[in-house]
C-alpha cells in the first residue's frame, strides 16, 4: 500500500501553531516549576549558586520584558505581534521569582540612527533601552536579545540543579521560538 501526500504540503511550521505550542508547553512547564525547589538544590551545586542563577534569570527576563515594552511604546502597530511574546517573557520572570520590574512600563528612547548594534540587554543603570526608529530594526534587535538570552541560559544548564535546569531549558526553548517568530516576517 502506498502513501500519498496531500497535494499541498506546508513548507514549515505555521506561526500560529508555533506560538500556540510554545505558549501551551511554556505554561504547563512554568506551572510545574515555580518559585523554589530547595529539595533538589543540593544534588548539583550549592543552594547559593542556584539562587544566584535564578535571580539572574529573573532579572534577564525582566530586562527583556522592558525592552519589549519600549519597542511597543515606540511602535504601537506591532502590539498584535509583540504583546503575546512580552506576556510570555513576564511569565518567565515570575517563574524565576521576579516579575516586579517586568510589569512596570518602560519609557523608551529612540535611537535617531536606528542603530541595531546596541547591546540587547541594557545595564541595570540604564532606565530604558534605545529603540530603533524602523520597525524591522526593532524586531531584529528583539530577536537578537532573545537569541543571546536563550544561548546564555543554555550554557547555564550544566551549573544548576535539576528543576531549575529544566525551567531554564524550557524558557531558553521559548526564547528561541520567540526569536524565530520575530524574524519570520523578513522571509
Amino acid at each position: 500500500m502506498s502513501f500519498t501526500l496531500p497535494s499541498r504540503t506546508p513548507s514549515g511550521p505555521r506561526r500560529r501553531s508555533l506560538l500556540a505550542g510554545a505558549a501551551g508547553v511554556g505554561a504547563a512547564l512554568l506551572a510545574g516549576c515555580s518559585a523554589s525547589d530547595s529539595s533538589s538544590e543540593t544534588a548539583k551545586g550549592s543552594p547559593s549558586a542556584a539562587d544566584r542563577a535564578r535571580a539572574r534569570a529573573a532579572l534577564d527576563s525582566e530586562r527583556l520584558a522592558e525592552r519589549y515594552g519600549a519597542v511597543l511604546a515606540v511602535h504601537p502597530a506591532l502590539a498584535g505581534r509583540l504583546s503575546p511574546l512580552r506576556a510570555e517573557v513576564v511569565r518567565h520572570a515570575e517563574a524565576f521569582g521576579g516579575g516586579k520590574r517586568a510589569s512596570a512600563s518602560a519609557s523608551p528612547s529612540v535611537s535617531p540612527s536606528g542603530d541595531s548594534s546596541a547591546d540587547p540587554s541594557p545595564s541595570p543603570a540604564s532606565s530604558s533601552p534605545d529603540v530603533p526608529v524602523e520597525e524591522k530594526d526593532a524586531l531584529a534587535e528583539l530577536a537578537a536579545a532573545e537569541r543571546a538570552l536563550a544561548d546564555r541560559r543554555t550554557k547555564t544548564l550544566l551549573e544548576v540543579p535539576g528543576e531549575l535546569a529544566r525551567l531554564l531549558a524550557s524558557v531558553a526553548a521559548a526564547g528561541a521560538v520567540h526569536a524565530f517568530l520575530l524574524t519570520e516576517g523578513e522571509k
Side-chain angles (χ1 to χ4, degrees):
M1 173 184 259
S2 66
F3 178 74
T4 58
L5 293 174
S7 61
R8 183 176 180 266
T9 57
S11 62
R14 298 289 184 239
R15 179 159 130 219
R16 287 184 186 178
S17 63
L18 278 175
L19 186 56
V25 170
L29 288 171
L30 292 177
C33 303
S34 58
S36 178
D37 49 343
S38 59
S39 62
S40 65
E41 287 179 353
T42 56
K44 260 193 194 176
S46 68
S48 62
D51 289 343
R52 284 192 310 269
R54 183 180 295 278
R56 173 63 192 217
L59 182 61
D60 287 343
S61 289
E62 289 171 348
R63 287 179 180 163
L64 186 57
E66 288 173 356
R67 176 159 290 291
Y68 271 97
V71 171
L72 284 167
V74 174
H75 301 288
L78 294 173
R81 187 171 180 184
L82 298 183
S83 293
L85 301 178
R86 183 185 185 281
E88 283 291 315
V89 172
V90 169
R91 283 192 286 277
H92 297 161
E94 291 168 352
F96 288 119
K100 285 121 183 108
R101 283 176 41 141
S103 60
S105 63
S107 57
S109 60
V110 180
S111 169
S113 66
D115 182 19
S116 62
S117 63
D119 182 15
S121 55
S123 66
S126 68
S127 60
S128 66
D130 288 337
V131 177
V133 176
E134 296 294 322
E135 285 183 2
K136 182 179 111 179
D137 294 336
L139 290 173
E141 210 172 74
L142 278 174
E146 286 276 14
R147 269 188 226 98
L149 187 53
D151 290 346
R152 226 175 17 249
R153 286 178 171 160
T154 301
K155 289 176 185 171
T156 305
L157 291 177
L158 298 174
E159 303 166 7
V160 296
E163 285 300 314
L164 181 55
R166 283 186 281 279
L167 179 58
L168 278 169
S170 172
V171 174
V177 170
H178 289 185
F180 172 80
L181 293 173
L182 289 166
T183 58
E184 182 186 54
E186 295 173 2
K187 295 177 182 174

